[in-house]
Amino acid sequence: MTDKTIDGEFFKEPSKNSVTRDIADIVGWILSVILPLSLYLFTPPIEIDGFGNEPKLFLCVLSSAGVMWTFSLLPEFIPGIFVLLSTLLLSLVDSPVVLSGFSSPTFTTVLSIIAMTMVIIDSGVMKRFLLYLLRHVHSPCLAGWVLFGFGSLITPILPSIISRAQLLGPLVKDISKPFESEKDPQNRTFLFANGFYGLSLLSSSFLSASLLNFIVLSLLPLQEQEQFQSQGWFKGALVITVVLLFFYFLILPIFFGTGKKSQKTGKTLTFSNDQTKRIQAKEVVSLGVLLTFFVGTLTSNYHRIPSSWLAFLAFFLLLVFGFIQIDDFRKKIDWPYLFFLSSIVGISSTFKTMGLDLWLYNNFLTFIPEILNDKLTLFGAITAVTLILRLVLPVGAVVTLLIPTALAIATKVGVSGWSVSIVLLFVADIWFFPYQCTFYQIYRSDFEGSGISEKRFLLSNAALSLVKILALFLSIYYWKYLSLI
Amino acid sequence: MMIKNFFSLKNTKKTIMALCLCIVAGYCFTVSMHRKTLLILHSYSADYAWVRDVNIGIKRIIRNKSNYNILWHYMDTKNHPFPEYKQRAGTIARRVVDYVKPDVVLAVDDDAQEYVMKNYLNKDNIQIVFAGVNAKPEQYGYDKGTNVTGVLERIPYEGVKEAIKTQAKRLGLKPPYRAIHISDQSLIVKYDDINMHEYKNWAPLELLPSKLVLTFDEWKKAVLESKVIADFILISNYRTVYTDESKKMRVPFQKVMEWTFKNAPIPVIGVNGFVCEDGAAVSIATSPFEQGETSAMMALAILDGKTKASDIPIQNSPYPMVFMDEGRLKTSELNFPQLYTAFAMATNNYIRSTITHWSR
């Protein structure tokens, strides 16, 4: 399997050498034609006031894209473009509706944050900061906790988990080098685990901790989008965060001890001379712009400028002062992700404009009112369905396919769309087998042959996955307290 | 040397650029900080026909008012008419008000007043403009409020009376023409019902005791039995008609009106615009557009600093709107003078039949 996507949080390009993969591809392509045709020819018409055949045609197009996503026939953003294009060519709705994703504030926010991330990583300021912290660290135990702390610190700053994995992976590998000669892999695995959990554990705690969070935010009703900007999101995910951190510090020592004592302390952890380089203007400016953006976001209630426009302003400043080169703008901005985001928002707007969300609820979901009325059962059902789908589908596909239904249920049941979405996002992030998690594979790829105990790590991950479900369960009571459900 | 470097052409260019940007950014921040905020708080959801039309009215007035920060919040209590949900929606809405700190809140319909705005009464930092309120202002203490004004929503009694008189004469009925109000048991309907029965000038109509029902079976019974006691049925709302007394599931509102139109033994007249949209042949109703427009004008006058809420008297909405459905009118006993049809057409409230005379 090779990673095709830039973000990598969604889909994987199939390996062309695998016969099974080829067969799956062929089946997938045939299905992507047969399924919409069958739906069109053999299902009853969809009757929605103000529309003729359009809703049915749209669902047929969507089913075809769904097959493409499910079978990973193409990189994830291409089926999205296919839906937009088909909707436009068939004139199913007005073009501003289907293209609304490109004009949404989320588009400019994500574009700007990706650009800021790019400048920060390129500037080397993060690496310098980590090395500075590690300069005073003389034990693998402390180095592990520093790695976790650093990973958690950059989590809300760098929204792409893949970028964080790419930044932290080589650094952790470097730090682990002195312990490679040790027979017992405990220290290496401890550092490996701390690095990984640092970059991934809190990815649902902050809005800006994952690009998927932005997709979900943009699909929420407008008033919830305002309510769950940075502080609102963090406040809603507070119990999840606290429970995760508590159990993390409890569970990790059980699996790895607290880092075995090693002869290789002190000087051996000082492994690079990067920190001795003079501080570059780019580092200062990128950090300054980032801090200004965060301060601006935290004080937005005072100056009343939405955080989307503040991010756009930061992006503009970086462009004006030449910290983003035109070539980088062309090549390093995650355009496929931005297209994916825009297509999902456009699909969702089209769905709502056609009244398909109400139709879906009135025709299918009203038959299970008992499940919907009990919040625990509702969230339990979402958890179960997501976990099962995650065994065969990547994160992005699961979230994309389930979120419209989940939001329709939320509206009808009278719970906050955000609470349903965060459950979906959080559970979709749970994984037990390496094939389920792309950024784990990327992170691990730096450690080939470095002798970490993957089995022990996977066991710790399974334990933390159970903790995640517990955190959700406890959050339900917290959300009731917040009047979200 | 350092000074020379500092004044190099490149640095001078960057300094001037930074200064220019600082001026522009500073201006934007200042403008933004002083921009006043209007929060439009709806009791119901955006897809409810009444809310949609109130919003059309509001937007007609606030169009091109980019110098104000305008935010919308929907409590969605029509879809979830349970006290527990309303309390929750109210808590969230109050949190929004506290966070946004709007200069003016335009609160539409009664739940927004009951669960949110009455908590801000007499607080001078927030001015309240209400619309679509069916209860009496005293219900929320608005009659004595120093920071509140708005538009009451009242059924246009005179308009309804005139429409019924026209039909009664055409049908050869003799006065008093008996009308019965059949609706659900929602709080708003109860307020409407009290106001309707307090109106003294119904003659030559006789407004009979209302039948406000809980279940669809009760609804059917009330409609079918109406022929014995009344000449006309008045319908205001039916969105909280349940399948049974457990109140777990509501009957889809279109289904209620569809059944009513097909089975009503006497003519049905809606007293809300959406009744016609949902399945009746005609409605004589308060104009949601007028509610939206008038309240938005009040809100803007306050935001512009021209006046305070306490200086604007609470208003009523006396003028009726006529809503008609061409197809259903043809199959009903109702037949209105041309003027009604022309008015409905002119105000864009005339639902044309899908089969037109040239496409038959």
Side-chain angles (χ1 to χ4, degrees):
Chain A
M1 306 280 272
T2 52
D3 290 295
K4 176 94 174 184
T5 65
I6 290 181
D7 192 78
E9 287 165 42
F10 303 98
F11 297 87
K12 297 169 69 58
E13 190 193 14
S15 161
K16 300 298 175 196
N17 298 327
S18 157
V19 176
T20 323
R21 185 66 244 178
D22 286 342
I23 293 170
D25 274 2
I26 292 166
V27 172
W29 280 113
I30 292 172
L31 257 181
S32 71
V33 177
I34 288 179
L35 183 67
L37 272 178
S38 314
L39 282 176
Y40 188 75
L41 295 173
F42 304 117
T43 57
I46 296 173
E47 285 171 10
I48 298 177
D49 278 350
F51 288 95
N53 212 13
E54 292 92 344
K56 190 174 178 181
L57 272 170
F58 181 69
L59 283 188
C60 292
V61 170
L62 209 55
S63 70
S64 182
V67 172
M68 290 179 200
W69 275 322
T70 309
F71 283 79
S72 301
L73 299 176
L74 294 163
E76 79 276 9
F77 70 103
I78 299 179
I81 294 178
F82 164 73
V83 177
L84 299 192
L85 182 67
S86 309
T87 309
L88 288 168
L89 288 175
L90 296 169
S91 296
L92 301 183
V93 287
D94 292 339
S95 58
V97 174
V98 74
L99 297 177
S100 57
F102 292 94
S103 60
S104 73
T106 313
F107 183 90
T108 48
T109 309
V110 175
L111 168 67
S112 310
I113 289 180
I114 289 174
M116 276 191 270
T117 306
M118 178 183 85
V119 173
I120 286 162
I121 292 179
D122 282 358
S123 74
V125 66
M126 290 297 168
K127 194 174 174 186
R128 177 189 291 279
F129 181 55
L130 178 62
L131 296 180
Y132 176 79
L133 290 175
L134 287 171
R135 197 172 60 176
H136 304 288
V137 169
H138 302 294
S139 76
C141 166
L142 206 54
W145 298 128
V146 166
L147 279 175
F148 177 77
F150 177 77
S152 304
L153 190 73
I154 62 169
T155 294
I157 299 172
L158 305 179
S160 162
I161 305 181
I162 293 299
S163 295
R164 297 202 291 271
Q166 284 166 341
L167 174 74
L168 217 58
L171 288 171
V172 178
K173 165 82 174 162
D174 276 354
I175 295 164
S176 307
K177 255 181 193 164
F179 308 108
E180 276 179 8
S181 56
E182 289 179 358
K183 266 190 178 177
D184 191 342
Q186 188 173 325
N187 278 332
R188 296 189 295 272
T189 314
F190 179 70
L191 292 171
F192 174 85
N194 270 299
F196 180 77
Y197 292 130
L199 68 92
S200 63
L201 195 67
L202 304 182
S203 57
S204 298
S205 300
F206 309 97
L207 167 64
S208 55
S210 167
L211 293 172
L212 260 182
N213 296 354
F214 283 102
I215 290 191
V216 169
L217 182 81
S218 61
L219 299 181
L220 292 177
L222 269 180
Q223 66 193 43
E224 287 202 52
Q225 287 188 30
E226 306 222 355
Q227 196 183 345
F228 291 102
Q229 291 293 330
S230 47
Q231 297 115 304
W233 187 291
F234 179 67
K235 192 177 167 190
L238 193 62
V239 166
I240 289 180
T241 310
V242 171
V243 172
L244 280 183
L245 287 175
F246 176 77
F247 280 96
Y248 175 73
F249 289 116
L250 202 73
I251 282 176
L252 216 69
I254 296 172
F255 283 92
F256 307 105
T258 49
K260 214 173 138 190
K261 279 187 181 172
S262 174
Q263 297 298 314
K264 305 168 191 311
T265 54
K267 287 177 252 173
T268 48
L269 286 177
T270 330
F271 50 89
S272 165
N273 61 354
D274 281 19
Q275 61 195 309
T276 58
K277 274 186 199 167
R278 242 184 108 194
I279 295 175
Q280 306 290 307
K282 198 172 183 177
E283 293 177 62
V284 178
V285 172
S286 60
L287 206 61
V289 167
L290 190 76
L291 285 175
T292 313
F293 167 63
F294 273 96
V295 171
T297 303
L298 291 174
T299 55
S300 64
N301 195 33
Y302 177 69
H303 53 69
R304 292 178 172 179
I305 297 181
S307 54
S308 322
W309 309 146
L310 287 173
F312 208 32
L313 174 68
F315 170 60
F316 172 71
L317 290 177
L318 291 172
L319 276 172
V320 167
F321 288 105
F323 291 104
I324 299 173
Q325 300 298 321
I326 295 301
D327 206 37
D328 290 342
F329 186 65
R330 283 197 200 103
K331 291 177 185 166
K332 290 190 180 174
I333 296 287
D334 197 344
W335 294 111
Y337 178 77
L338 286 166
F339 269 75
F340 180 73
L341 167 82
S342 303
S343 57
I344 295 300
V345 175
I347 290 168
S348 172
S349 301
T350 309
F351 206 77
K352 281 182 196 160
T353 304
M354 287 181 167
L356 278 166
D357 49 346
L358 290 174
W359 174 83
L360 187 75
Y361 183 84
N362 291 333
N363 289 280
F364 298 101
L365 302 176
T366 43
F367 297 117
I368 46 169
E370 293 305 319
I371 290 177
L372 301 179
N373 284 334
D374 181 40
K375 310 291 183 297
L376 205 62
T377 322
L378 169 67
F379 288 127
I382 294 174
T383 305
V385 170
T386 311
L387 281 176
I388 292 167
L389 283 179
R390 276 291 283 125
L391 290 173
V392 288
L393 290 176
V395 181
V398 171
V399 173
T400 310
L401 293 175
L402 292 185
I403 202 87
T405 316
L407 286 175
I409 292 174
T411 311
K412 287 293 164 188
V413 177
V415 299
S416 138
W418 179 85
S419 63
V420 171
S421 306
I422 192 86
V423 171
L424 188 54
L425 269 176
F426 195 63
V427 176
D429 236 5
I430 292 176
W431 60 278
F432 295 94
F433 308 104
Y435 78 89
Q436 289 180 288
C437 182
T438 314
F439 57 84
Y440 170 69
Q441 292 168 41
I442 289 179
Y443 180 75
R444 189 185 56 178
S445 64
D446 286 315
F447 293 85
E448 295 292 338
S450 62
I452 54 155
S453 170
E454 191 174 21
K455 191 179 168 190
R456 197 183 290 182
F457 170 78
L458 291 176
L459 280 172
S460 73
N461 181 60
L464 274 172
S465 298
L466 297 177
V467 167
K468 286 181 177 179
I469 293 170
L470 174 72
L472 272 186
F473 175 76
L474 293 174
S475 285
I476 291 174
Y477 296 96
Y478 174 60
W479 292 336
K480 274 187 182 165
Y481 165 73
L482 288 181
S483 303
L484 294 178
I485 60 173
Chain B
M1 183 70 178
M2 274 181 75
I3 293 169
K4 196 179 170 187
N5 278 345
F6 183 79
F7 286 107
S8 69
L9 205 58
K10 200 175 173 185
N11 273 351
T12 312
K13 190 180 89 177
K14 286 203 169 174
T15 310
I16 291 171
M17 273 168 65
L19 267 175
C20 291
L21 286 170
C22 280
I23 292 167
V24 173
Y27 174 74
C28 292
F29 270 77
T30 315
V31 168
S32 185
M33 276 169 70
H34 291 98
R35 184 177 289 160
K36 289 186 177 173
T37 301
L38 168 64
L39 173 67
I40 296 163
L41 175 66
H42 277 285
S43 302
Y44 310 133
S45 66
D47 54 9
Y48 183 26
W50 163 263
V51 175
R52 181 199 60 207
D53 293 343
V54 170
N55 280 345
I56 290 173
I58 293 173
K59 284 175 185 169
R60 279 178 194 159
I61 302 301
I62 62 170
R63 193 188 299 143
N64 302 327
K65 295 286 177 187
S66 57
N67 51 335
Y68 297 120
N69 198 15
I70 297 167
L71 302 167
W72 305 73
H73 186 90
Y74 298 89
M75 292 168 64
D76 196 14
T77 58
K78 186 64 83 180
N79 286 321
H80 312 286
F82 318 106
E84 187 192 320
Y85 176 87
K86 288 184 177 183
Q87 290 287 358
R88 192 147 49 82
T91 307
I92 291 173
R94 285 200 299 278
R95 213 175 283 154
V96 170
V97 174
D98 293 339
Y99 180 74
V100 171
K101 294 185 183 71
D103 298 281
V104 178
V105 180
L106 199 171
V108 188
D109 291 308
D110 286 77
D111 284 339
Q113 325 300 332
E114 175 67 33
Y115 295 93
V116 190
M117 293 324 298
K118 73 176 186 186
N119 296 289
Y120 296 90
L121 197 63
N122 298 331
K123 290 188 178 171
D124 288 340
N125 56 339
I126 290 181
Q127 300 282 298
I128 304 168
V129 176
F130 63 81
V133 166
N134 301 65
K136 293 182 170 57
E138 301 92 288
Q139 174 86 22
Y140 312 112
Y142 286 174
D143 53 328
K144 291 173 187 154
T146 56
N147 64 335
V148 62
T149 187
V151 201
L152 295 166
E153 181 197 340
R154 295 288 179 264
I155 290 167
Y157 310 116
E158 284 301 316
V160 172
K161 190 169 82 179
E162 286 305 317
I164 288 181
K165 267 164 66 180
T166 313
Q167 293 310 302
K169 281 177 189 163
R170 204 188 54 77
L171 292 169
L173 299 173
K174 286 184 179 162
Y177 315 123
R178 300 163 304 165
I180 184 166
H181 177 211
I182 300 178
S183 281
D184 62 28
Q185 292 186 351
S186 60
L187 192 64
I188 304 310
V189 169
K190 286 176 183 167
Y191 289 146
D192 275 342
D193 198 55
I194 291 169
N195 293 329
M196 279 167 85
H197 282 91
E198 279 182 0
Y199 186 63
K200 306 285 182 207
N201 200 22
W202 277 117
L205 251 75
E206 183 191 351
L207 188 65
L208 302 171
S210 304
K211 289 205 172 167
L212 306 185
V213 303
L214 184 70
T215 66
F216 196 28
D217 284 339
E218 287 173 16
W219 179 278
K220 286 176 180 172
K221 195 171 168 225
V223 169
L224 293 174
E225 287 177 356
S226 61
K227 187 172 187 180
V228 184
I229 51 172
D231 302 313
F232 294 93
I233 296 174
L234 300 178
I235 292 180
S236 63
N237 217 320
Y238 36 82
R239 272 167 164 77
T240 40
V241 172
Y242 296 95
T243 50
D244 54 49
E245 286 180 1
S246 67
K247 292 190 184 180
K248 280 185 178 170
M249 271 186 80
R250 283 177 296 147
V251 182
F253 55 89
Q254 299 96 331
K255 190 178 167 186
V256 176
M257 271 320 295
E258 200 176 310
W259 183 91
T260 309
F261 180 72
K262 282 182 185 159
N263 297 285
I266 52 178
V268 172
I269 293 178
V271 290
N272 268 316
F274 54 79
V275 182
C276 179
E277 205 171 298
D278 294 342
V282 67
S283 281
I284 310 293
T286 311
S287 165
F289 309 105
E290 186 198 4
Q291 291 277 325
E293 281 182 15
T294 313
S295 57
M297 277 192 275
M298 289 176 174
L300 280 192
I302 298 166
L303 283 170
D304 286 338
K306 291 176 187 164
T307 182
K308 286 194 291 184
S310 54
D311 297 332
I312 308 173
I314 291 173
Q315 293 183 21
N316 217 326
S317 51
Y319 300 111
M321 294 283 281
V322 178
F323 298 76
M324 285 180 158
D325 185 294
E326 185 185 17
R328 291 194 202 105
L329 268 173
K330 279 179 188 160
T331 56
S332 75
E333 294 176 72
L334 299 168
N335 190 359
F336 283 90
Q338 236 183 15
L339 208 58
Y340 278 81
T341 313
F343 181 52
M345 280 180 176
T347 50
N348 208 19
N349 294 320
Y350 190 78
I351 305 167
R352 286 181 190 279
S353 173
T354 46
I355 302 167
T356 51
H357 64 276
W358 58 83
S359 62
R360 264 170 220 174

